Amino acid sequence: MAKVFGCSDEMGRGLAIGAAAGVGAYIVVQKVAAAISAADVDFSTTSNAHSGNVYETDRAVAEYLQFHYGKDADLLPYSNGPTEALNFASRTADMCSEWVVKLGVPRGAAFDVGCAVGRTSFDLSKTFDAVLGLDFSHKFIATADKLRAGASIEYTATLEGEATGAFSCSAPLDANPGRIKFIQGDACNLPPGIGPFSVIHGANLLCRLPDPEKFLESLPGLLVDGGLVVLISPYSWLKSYTPKEKWLGGCAGPDGTVKDSFKGLKAVMDRVGLKLVHEENTPFLIREHIRKYQWGISHATVWQLQK
């Protein structure tokens, strides 16, 4: 099996490490939760008004469980809704699997950066030998690890006002949880010793990082020869996450010209030896309540490390 931490990721050993990490993550979650403002608890992840701690709230976990695992009819019970935006987390995993085959990259280890509550990692485990899922949110990682251990998780979703509905979810039956390890971490300060990976996946991640260029510059050293990076981003830059001087685009440069995010991304990727091989637009849908959604259209790009 592929190495993701510089040592053999044997199934039993991976389970033991994952279980231990889950306990530690639970303890840390309690400490982090105490620091979250009361205001953040009331905000949806689709709001721009929160402080940035929103991803450590129970509401965020519930919204992302529904985003990643919700049944189509529960998430969008309308025949005239944007159904093409459903199953975003699975569709981006499929993009990874599709392009390693097209470009002849061995399906060794996959790295899901900003994995949230883990759906893409589970889907990647169907076709890759090992999967490492990393997220900055302690609560998201604790939740993903419970699913990896076989738990069925109950959660509530807002219907309207203070009315909620009860739902449950579990890992996909055709996933290989023994191949997956979830860890809490910082995409801009990745742990040493990880990799090499056949593919690195980051969905709706770049515009939530404090230093996206630093993250991008770290990617070539984590890839196998000819390995792939699959990035999906709506380029929704906010100063609450990313200092304006670190934005890849969406603001005026020193000469007053407005920078384009994709051009800024491509400039960094070209410089570090990652070549663009594919791009497309892919929609996503996050439910805030039964009649209010965030519909977005992310820019999906596939890059290959030049040999």
Side-chain angles (χ1 to χ4, degrees), residues 79-102:
S79 60
N80 58 347
T83 55
E84 73 284 350
L86 296 170
N87 302 305
F88 174 78
S90 294
R91 286 187 284 112
T92 64
D94 291 343
M95 189 178 299
C96 295
S97 300
E98 174 188 353
W99 279 94
V100 294
V101 171
K102 282 185 176 181

Side-chain angles (χ1 to χ4, degrees), residues 84-149:
E84 73 284 350
L86 296 170
N87 302 305
F88 174 78
S90 294
R91 286 187 284 112
T92 64
D94 291 343
M95 189 178 299
C96 295
S97 300
E98 174 188 353
W99 279 94
V100 294
V101 171
K102 282 185 176 181
L103 297 174
V105 180
R107 286 181 288 187
F111 187 16
D112 184 12
V113 192
C115 65
V117 292
R119 179 57 189 262
T120 301
S121 295
F122 283 111
D123 287 328
L124 290 171
S125 76
K126 301 173 188 178
T127 53
F128 289 87
D129 292 338
V131 181
L132 178 63
L134 176 145
D135 201 275
F136 193 69
S137 167
H138 296 81
K139 275 214 159 188
F140 279 0
I141 287 298
T143 301
D145 215 39
K146 288 177 184 176
L147 292 168
R148 189 194 60 80

Side-chain angles (χ1 to χ4, degrees), residues 205-279:
L205 171 72
L206 281 179
C207 52
R208 291 298 176 265
L209 297 178
D211 194 344
E213 187 170 345
K214 181 180 179 182
F215 165 69
L216 296 172
E217 289 173 343
S218 72
L219 299 181
L222 300 175
L223 290 168
V224 300
D225 289 345
L228 305 183
V229 175
V230 177
L231 297 174
I232 303 97
S233 179
Y235 308 131
S236 297
W237 304 105
L238 291 171
K239 288 183 283 186
S240 55
Y241 291 103
T242 313
K244 195 170 180 179
E245 63 270 18
K246 298 291 187 180
W247 294 8
L248 297 179
C251 61
D255 62 354
T257 303
V258 176
K259 299 185 295 181
D260 175 80
S261 295
F262 173 59
K263 289 181 179 178
L265 169 62
K266 190 173 186 300
V268 178
M269 299 298 260
D270 286 345
R271 174 164 53 81
V272 300
L274 286 159
K275 179 184 176 182
L276 180 70
V277 295
H278 176 73
E279 61 176 307

